[in-house]
Structures are given as structure tokens and as C-alpha cells.
Amino acid sequence: MSLHTLKDVNSLNDPIKQFLIDFDIVLPANTFNFKANQLELRAQSFTFPSIQGDTTVVNWGGHERQFAGKQTRQGDWDVTFTEVWSGDVIDGFRKWMQKYHNYTNGTIALRDEYMSTAQVNLLNPDLYDPKPQGAVSKAITLKQMYPTQVAVEGSINPSSSDPVNIAVRFHYNYFLMAGEKDA
């Protein structure tokens, strides 16, 4: 067993904070100027989708009973991206939003022209040697999703070379976790 100096220990990555988020969207045509109809971004942070189950009330022998109802798997998904000065990420999401509602002429698109699927992978990196038991990768697939809000977080300082954070809110109609299949 070898001992490490305090400097060596302080410079190690915190394994709790070192999960990698890989975000892959199949895009509607003509939204981003990246690879053909595909955007690959590293998200800085995102919310985790939730499932809500409702109840069905049944009157049984004069008494109300509650039983499980349907699952609701739709919701909003907030993601923070880091943008550089080129503005490609902001412009791409704005073009995507323009696909479903053109605010200059009022036209609204068919859902297949703007809805998309996103694959989100939360990966536990190989920080340890040997890799510990229980190191996992989680996959989330968001179905029928589209952006509903794009905002620059904070103010932009022209004299700084700091990246700009972009907050994007998507709506999705349902999601699947790793191993779940579409019906």
C-alpha cells in the first residue's frame, strides 16, 4: 500500500460528482447546423423524469375503495447546456421551436415535423481501479418531445471568455427507462 500526499488527494475527482451525462437527440430536419439530423451535447445538469399514478375510486357495497389507475409519464424536462460564443446551440433550439409555430405567419406544423426522441445516458465513469461493484449506467428515452423554452442564464459579459449557460425546457409525452419497451 502506498501513501499519497495531501496535494495528490485534494486533486482527485470527487466520485460522487463525476457522473457523465450523454445526451443524444434525433432532430427534425433543418434545425441545427451539426451532423445530419443529429445533435450530441453534453448537458451540464438536468431534471429526472417522474412517474405519477392516479387512482380509480370504486363504490363497493356502499363504501368507496381506491384502486390503481393509469400512469402519467408526461412532463417537462429541464436541461442546462453550456454555449460558446458561436451561438449555435441557442439558434438551433430557436429554429426547432419555429418548426411547430411560425410566429411571423401563424402557421402550426404537424406533430411529426417537430416532435423528437431523446436518449439520455447517465454514466458512472471508471474512476476506480478495480471498478467497484454496483457501478451503473442508466438510460432514459424521452418520447414525443420538443423544446418549449430557451433562455440564457445570467448576463453576458462581452469582456469575458466564460461560456454561457443555456436553460432549455422540453415537454415530453412519455418516457422509458432502460429495459422498458414501447407497447
Side-chain angles (χ1 to χ4, degrees), residues 3-164:
L3 295 175
H4 296 282
T5 66
L6 184 57
K7 181 182 173 189
D8 292 338
V9 173
N10 285 339
S11 67
L12 289 175
N13 290 327
D14 183 347
I16 295 173
K17 296 181 179 179
Q18 292 300 311
F19 282 88
L20 301 174
I21 303 165
D22 193 28
F23 180 72
D24 191 22
I25 305 175
V26 177
L27 295 166
N30 303 317
T31 49
F32 287 86
N33 296 326
F34 297 129
K35 291 192 251 175
N37 289 344
Q38 198 155 27
L39 171 67
E40 291 181 20
L41 294 173
R42 261 251 180 188
Q44 198 177 70
S45 65
F46 69 91
T47 55
F48 206 78
S50 62
I51 300 172
Q52 181 176 342
D54 59 2
T55 57
T56 301
V57 177
V58 176
N59 193 332
W60 194 351
H63 299 282
E64 283 188 357
R65 300 286 186 253
Q66 291 187 4
F67 298 95
K70 68 181 186 308
Q71 287 183 34
T72 302
R73 286 184 171 229
Q74 72 177 4
D76 292 321
W77 188 53
D78 297 314
V79 185
T80 301
F81 298 104
T82 300
E83 171 71 285
V84 292
W85 284 105
S86 69
D88 287 340
V89 174
I90 296 170
D91 292 344
F93 283 118
R94 287 185 178 151
K95 285 179 189 174
W96 190 353
M97 291 176 75
Q98 178 90 359
K99 285 202 149 300
Y100 60 84
H101 177 241
N102 184 324
Y103 60 88
T104 57
N105 63 21
T107 57
I108 296 175
L110 299 172
R111 70 181 188 146
D112 289 344
E113 294 175 14
Y114 67 87
M115 285 189 167
S116 185
T117 298
Q119 180 74 36
V120 181
N121 295 304
L122 181 61
L123 308 168
N124 185 358
D126 254 338
L127 291 180
Y128 305 100
D129 190 22
K131 192 169 183 171
Q133 290 284 63
V136 296
S137 166
K138 295 194 183 294
I140 306 165
T141 304
L142 302 169
K143 298 290 207 159
Q144 299 176 353
M145 69 159 239
Y146 55 93
T148 60
Q149 182 179 353
V150 179
V152 176
E153 292 183 341
S155 58
I156 296 175
N157 182 354
S159 64
S160 170
S161 61
D162 290 340
V164 177

